[in-house]
Amino acid sequence: MWYVIEGHDGDNVLAQRMAQRPAHLARLQALLDEGRLLIAGPCPAIDAEDPGPAGFSGSVVIAEFPSLEDARAWADADPYKFAGVYARTDVRPFRVTLP
């Protein structure tokens, strides 16, 4: 089943986000290599491709996991969560309709 994982950034966490980005991306690359990643990316805090010092409001990952519990466990192990980047993480089932 597919799951959407939405991490919500805390305040003033851009430096922590950038420091943990390589480890965060490595986990996403592993999902991609396994054919389990539909899409992933950050949400700029302002209406701009590169938000600069405004940073990001969070991230969205849509990936395949055997169960909701597995998706939550994966989300709980994210380097962004350990570094305090994410103030909250939501995980819920997702059904691909289009394309």
Side-chain angles (χ1 to χ4, degrees), residues 7-84:
H8 302 269
D9 284 18
D11 294 330
N12 303 310
V13 295
L14 185 57
Q16 295 99 305
R17 176 183 265 276
M18 298 314 293
Q20 296 301 318
R21 188 169 187 261
H24 173 78
L25 292 178
R27 297 180 78 235
L28 292 171
Q29 185 64 51
L31 288 176
L32 182 63
D33 293 346
E34 295 167 5
R36 298 173 42 208
L37 182 64
L38 183 63
I39 195 165
C43 301
I46 60 173
D47 189 13
E49 182 71 24
D50 178 358
F56 300 90
S57 62
S59 301
V60 174
V61 174
I62 301 178
E64 190 174 32
F65 294 93
S67 68
L68 179 58
E69 293 77 21
D70 289 323
R72 285 184 176 144
W74 188 90
D76 286 343
D78 195 298
Y80 284 173
K81 186 164 184 173
F82 284 119

Side-chain angles (χ1 to χ4, degrees), residues 1-5 65-76 90-94:
M1 174 108 193
W2 294 98
Y3 295 90
V4 60
I5 300 168
F65 294 93
S67 68
L68 179 58
E69 293 77 21
D70 289 323
R72 285 184 176 144
W74 188 90
D76 286 343
D90 298 325
V91 181
R92 56 192 181 279
F94 181 80

